[in-house]
Structures are given as structure tokens and as C-alpha cells.
Amino acid sequence: MAKKEAKEEEKAAASLEEPRTNPSVEDTGMVRNSLTLSPPKPSWFTPGRLLIIFCFINLLNYVDRGAIASNGVNGSPKNCSANGTCTPGTGIQGDFDLNNFQDGVLSSAFMVGLLVASPIFASLARSVNPFRLIGVGLTVWTLAVVGCGFSFSFWMIAICRMFVGVGEASFISLAAPFIDDNAPVAKKTVWLGVFYMCLPSGYAIGYVYGGWVGHYNWRYAFWGEAILMFPFAVLGFVMKPLQLKGFAPAESKKAFTDIEIAFPEAQDKNSKQLTQHLLVDLIVNFNKFLFKATSNNVNQFVRFFKDMKVLLSDKVFVVNVLGYIAYNFVIGAYSYWGPKAGKNIYNMNNADMIFGGITVVCGVLGTLAGGFVLDFIDSTICNAFKLLSTATFLGAAFCFGAFCLKSMYAFLALFAVGELLVFATQGPVNFICLHCVKPSIRPLSMAISTVSIHIFGDVPSSPLVGVLQDQVNNWRETALILTAILFPAAAIWFIGIFLHSVDKFSEDNEDKVSRIERSKTTPLLEDENAETTQACAEP
């Protein structure tokens, strides 16, 4: 009996020493569990700090737009009198001897890069970590702005401005979904309002910044912007990458392959067999790489057009963007022609400062107020449409009435109230863009919304209003016609109230994201943010 027990002990000891080339399911599970433990949460990178970082980046984007439009940076062309006496030009226009058409092209060149690159970055978010895409975009932006400062011709600075738009496209498409993911449930629209508050603020700061730096040298304005943006570009690469809701990290697929290959190899003590394993793995992985390289572009295009079909068939999204286009048509023309109209109608001194001050104050207060109101009345798509249509209608009425008055002070009072109401739309309109589609399509939703409001809104509005003024030759009448377009915008958003709409924030993507896939890239807020707002009921 003792001999039998001794033999059994020897067999057990031998089995422990033998390498196991076919690990059990339990062993594999233990290794996978040990490799997929979530890393500790970052101690300082909180949702609030994410919002602050994105607000600074957004502010710098619009500071750049305001700076290049300022008199200090944009400058003035060379002017020659009838007797042949010429005064040298200033700024970009003077250095490159640009006519007004070239100057207009230069001011909107960044829009070309923005419109082309926005859908591309939104589509890439499916296969590349979106947080890293923002880092790539900000790097392109920084280098392009430096190039603007070193430009020696019209064409060089025009091309650099296009790449500024390319760099901005990644941030514009992806920042709002990140904020929406990590904002507290009860303050989602407020956080979006804070983010979009940087638009009017950035423009105004850009005017002042460009005018001040332009007194020394217009090139310094661009170099200063690059210095300020550079840390944020670096941050996009060095910080723990976040993952958007509904997207499976590309790294997760590789993690499964690495585990399945590495585990048996780690147990193989025979160097010859190990070499054979490595060669086979190298050949297999190389073939996989070639296959992915040839099929990836095709898959990207197919996926993009599939998502576009889903997006454009969504009535809620289409109605929201149509109203946004009409709204942005007016706001874009206001920002360009407003000071000139005020100066001609009311003989304002310092019309730029007056309109700039009104825009900053009303833009900040109105944008924040719109977010607070929507969160207070419950953040649903129906309520967002109600707020959009009501605020836009009342704002249009106040602005229209303001241009009918003869007193400058009465005009300023009514116009300020009108702008306060009009800017209250920024949070709700973007809330609808983010919540009317599945999480996997949100970056594309923001990209197409941005492209649409620029192509059909503020880009054509300024020249069309100029053509109208040439025909009418009456700034009051031109301003009234322009302001009246806000009423159709309110009507379009009013239609949205009666559409059947469901908040799809928590709807799963067709590609299930497992726990191991979230191990390396997790949201800053976990389960407390999984809750969604109530679906919008039909009225």
C-alpha cells in the first residue's frame, strides 16, 4: 500500500514538471483574466478637466479665425491716389499685395480642409482610437499655423490655411461626443453649452489678439497660436487614450491574438520548436497584414456609405440640420456684415467694438442659458426642439424689431436681447445631433452637421448678402431681409417637435464591445454615466 502511494506521488510530481503544450480552458482563462485587468484610473484626468482641456482647444481654434480676420493681421492693401502717390499696405494683404477677392479666398481657405477632412476623421474613428486622432489633428493644426507665419506668397499661406482646417476637423468631429460621454447625466447640455460658448469668445479674443500683435508683426500672431496649441497636441499622444461609446478599440483584436499565440509558446522549452513557431507566426501575421492593407480601404468606403445612408434617412437629424443651416446663414452674415450695417444705419463710432462686445456677452450668457434650461426641463430631443423653435422665434422677433427702430440705444437694447435668445440654441442643437443617432455614428453626425452648416450656411451668406446690398443699396432693408430668415429656421425646428424621436445614446453598436476590449481604453465615468435620458415621446 505504501509503495502504491509512493508511485502515485512520483507521477504527480512528474506531471508538474512536464511542460503543457495544450493548456486547459481554466489556465487560459486565468491568463486572459490576468492580462485584461483594467489599469488604475488616472488620478488627475477627470471629466471636468477633460472639458477644460477641450474648451481651451476650441477657444484657440476660434482665436485663430478671429485673428486672421482682424485688421492687425489681415491688414490693408496698397493704396494709390490719382496723382500717383501710393501708401504701402499693411499685414497679410499689404505684404502679398492681395486684392479683395484673394483676401476673401484666404479668409475662408481653412474651410476647404475642414469640410473635406471632417467626414474622413469621423470614419477613421471606427478603426483608430478617436483620442489619438485628435492628437494627430492638433499636430497638423500646429504645423500648419507655423507654416502660415513663415509663408512667403499668397499660395503658400492659402495652402497652410487649408491644412489648418484639416487639423481642426478631427477635433470638431470628435470633441463633442467625448464630452457627451463623460458629462454627468444631469448636466450634458450645460457641458455642451460651455464648450460651444468658446465660439463667440474665441472670435472676440482673436480680434483683440490679432490687432495687438499685428502692430509688431502679423507673423507673430500665428507663431503665438502654435506655441499655445503645442502642449495640447502632445497631450493627445501621451495621455491614456479614451474610447468613444459604441466603438471597439482596434487594439483589442490584437490582444486576443497575442494571448492565443504567446501562451503555448511560453510553455515550449525547445528552442527549435520555438523558432518554427515564430517563423510560422511571422508568415501568418504578414499575410494578415497584406490582406488588411488591401481590404481596409474598401471596408472604410463601404462602411462610410452605409453610415451615411443611415444618417440621412433619419428624419430627426435631417430636420435638425436644415434648421441649423438656416440659422447659421444669418449668424454668419451677422458676424461679417453686422458692424458695417450698424455703422451705416446708426452712424456708430467703433461699430466693431460695440458689435464685438454684444456678441461676446450675449454669446456666453445665451449659450450657457440654453444648456441650463434644457437640463432643467429634462434633456430630451422633443424638449430640445421646443427650446430651439421658441428661442429662435423670439430672438428673430427682437432682432427684426431692433432694425426697425431709429434710436441707436433702443436698437442696441433689443438687439442684445435677440442675440441672447438666438445663441441659446448652441447646446440643444448639438445635443440632438449627438443623441438622435447610435453612438457609433455620432462622430459622423457631428462632421456632416458641421459640413452642411458651412457649405449651405455661413460660407455663401456673406457674399449673397453683399450682392443683395448692391441691389438694394439700403442697409436697413438688407438687415431686415437677412433677419427674417430666422423665422423659417424656427419653423423647421418646430416641425421637429412632432417627429417620433428616441434618444439612442445607450443603444449598443452592432459590434459588441466586450469587457476585454474596454480594458485599455475606458471612459472617465463608468456605470454612473451609463444611464440615458428618457426617450422623447410623441406629442
Side-chain angles (χ1 to χ4, degrees):
M1 194 73 180
K3 291 182 179 180
K4 186 176 181 181
E5 289 178 355
K7 288 182 179 180
E8 289 179 352
E9 289 176 358
E10 289 177 1
K11 287 182 179 180
S15 65
L16 289 174
E17 294 176 357
E18 290 177 0
R20 288 182 291 176
T21 57
N22 295 313
S24 65
V25 174
E26 291 80 4
D27 293 333
T28 307
M30 290 174 62
V31 172
R32 287 182 177 176
N33 288 335
S34 66
L35 291 174
T36 58
L37 289 175
S38 298
K41 292 183 180 180
S43 59
W44 68 275
F45 191 34
T46 62
R49 287 171 181 161
L50 174 73
L51 177 64
I52 292 172
I53 290 171
F54 279 2
C55 282
F56 271 114
I57 296 171
N58 204 27
L59 191 72
L60 284 174
N61 281 328
Y62 282 87
V63 164
D64 175 71
R65 297 191 193 185
I68 198 170
S70 67
N71 289 328
V73 173
N74 186 262
S76 59
K78 179 175 66 176
N79 186 26
C80 295
S81 61
N83 59 8
T85 304
C86 295
T87 57
T90 61
I92 296 174
Q93 215 176 356
D95 280 6
F96 299 145
D97 195 21
L98 306 182
N99 55 38
N100 288 327
F101 174 75
Q102 290 174 315
D103 187 41
V105 169
L106 190 63
S107 65
S108 58
F110 85 97
M111 199 67 70
V112 176
L114 180 69
L115 300 183
V116 171
S118 291
I120 296 175
F121 276 111
S123 182
L124 285 174
R126 282 181 171 272
S127 55
V128 181
N129 185 274
F131 201 73
R132 294 297 184 243
L133 284 177
I134 291 178
V136 171
L138 295 182
T139 302
V140 173
W141 191 97
T142 303
L143 294 175
V145 168
V146 171
C148 290
F150 283 108
S151 296
F152 52 80
S153 69
F154 163 73
W155 287 109
M156 181 177 178
I157 193 171
I159 292 172
C160 287
R161 294 304 300 171
M162 291 181 190
F163 277 100
V164 169
V166 171
E168 186 177 333
S170 68
F171 181 74
I172 292 297
S173 304
L174 302 171
F178 271 122
I179 292 173
D180 194 54
D181 274 357
N182 294 286
V185 175
K187 297 181 180 179
K188 284 184 179 292
T189 321
V190 172
W191 280 39
L192 288 174
V194 171
F195 178 72
Y196 285 103
M197 176 188 72
C198 299
L199 275 65
S201 303
Y203 259 119
I205 294 172
Y207 283 129
V208 177
Y209 168 74
W212 174 65
V213 177
H215 286 302
Y216 302 97
N217 191 318
W218 62 266
R219 299 178 187 274
Y220 295 163
F222 294 114
W223 296 336
E225 293 168 9
I227 292 172
L228 293 173
M229 184 65 83
F230 178 72
F232 297 107
V234 174
L235 215 57
F237 292 102
V238 300
M239 282 196 311
K240 176 191 174 188
L242 302 180
Q243 185 66 36
L244 284 176
K245 181 180 176 64
F247 287 83
E251 297 89 344
S252 62
K253 298 176 182 177
K254 182 177 182 298
F256 279 115
T257 305
D258 291 344
I259 292 170
E260 292 167 358
I261 293 173
F263 187 81
E265 287 180 359
Q267 306 296 331
D268 194 347
K269 296 182 179 179
N270 190 310
S271 60
K272 184 177 180 180
Q273 291 181 0
L274 179 61
T275 304
Q276 291 174 349
H277 276 301
L278 291 174
L279 288 174
V280 170
D281 292 339
L282 180 63
I283 294 171
V284 170
N285 289 330
F286 182 71
N287 289 332
K288 286 181 180 180
F289 172 78
L290 289 178
F291 176 77
K292 288 182 179 180
T294 54
S295 63
N296 189 48
N297 290 335
V298 176
N299 292 336
Q300 287 286 353
F301 277 110
V302 171
R303 186 178 294 164
F304 172 76
F305 286 112
K306 180 182 177 182
D307 290 344
M308 282 292 295
K309 182 180 179 181
V310 172
L311 190 63
L312 297 180
S313 63
D314 191 315
K315 295 179 181 179
V316 174
F317 174 80
V318 172
V319 168
N320 185 50
V321 172
L322 286 175
Y324 203 6
I325 289 170
Y327 165 88
N328 213 53
F329 187 95
V330 179
I331 297 301
Y334 269 176
S335 64
Y336 192 81
W337 294 112
K340 186 168 287 188
K343 183 177 181 179
N344 282 271
I345 298 171
Y346 297 103
N347 296 318
M348 289 183 185
N349 294 323
N350 299 321
D352 291 336
M353 296 295 294
I354 293 174
F355 271 84
I358 291 176
T359 300
V360 171
V361 175
C362 295
V364 170
L365 295 179
T367 305
L368 290 176
F372 275 113
V373 170
L374 183 57
D375 284 333
F376 179 77
I377 63 176
D378 194 7
S379 298
T380 64
I381 294 175
C382 273
N383 285 340
F385 273 125
K386 291 175 184 177
L387 181 57
L388 287 172
S389 57
T390 302
T392 305
F393 180 82
L394 294 176
F398 274 99
C399 291
F400 191 90
F403 281 111
C404 292
L405 299 175
K406 294 183 178 180
S407 169
M408 183 184 72
Y409 297 105
F411 161 78
L412 292 175
L414 261 68
F415 189 74
V417 176
E419 280 213 323
L420 190 71
L421 289 164
V422 166
F423 276 112
T425 60
Q426 290 296 321
V429 73
N430 287 287
F431 174 87
I432 295 174
C433 282
L434 290 168
H435 285 250
C436 71
V437 296
K438 294 188 297 184
S440 59
I441 310 181
R442 287 185 305 166
L444 185 63
S445 173
M446 295 304 298
I448 297 302
S449 172
T450 301
V451 167
S452 300
I453 65 174
H454 288 312
I455 288 181
F456 304 109
D458 55 0
V459 169
S461 67
S462 294
L464 288 177
V465 170
V467 171
L468 176 63
Q469 172 58 21
D470 289 338
Q471 296 295 321
V472 174
N473 198 26
N474 185 319
W475 274 109
R476 189 186 298 273
E477 188 174 341
T478 299
L480 289 172
I481 294 172
L482 174 65
T483 304
I485 299 175
L486 285 174
F487 291 108
I492 293 170
W493 279 328
F494 183 74
I495 294 172
I497 299 173
F498 301 96
L499 297 175
H500 176 67
S501 52
V502 176
D503 192 322
K504 300 177 182 178
F505 174 77
S506 291
E507 188 171 315
D508 289 335
N509 184 28
E510 59 268 17
D511 301 322
K512 299 297 182 182
V513 183
S514 65
R515 189 166 298 178
I516 187 172
E517 290 172 330
R518 293 187 179 276
S519 63
K520 292 185 180 180
T521 53
T522 55
L524 295 182
L525 293 183
E526 296 291 343
D527 294 337
E528 66 232 45
N529 238 17
E531 181 184 350
T532 184
T533 55
Q534 296 178 355
C536 185
E538 292 182 272

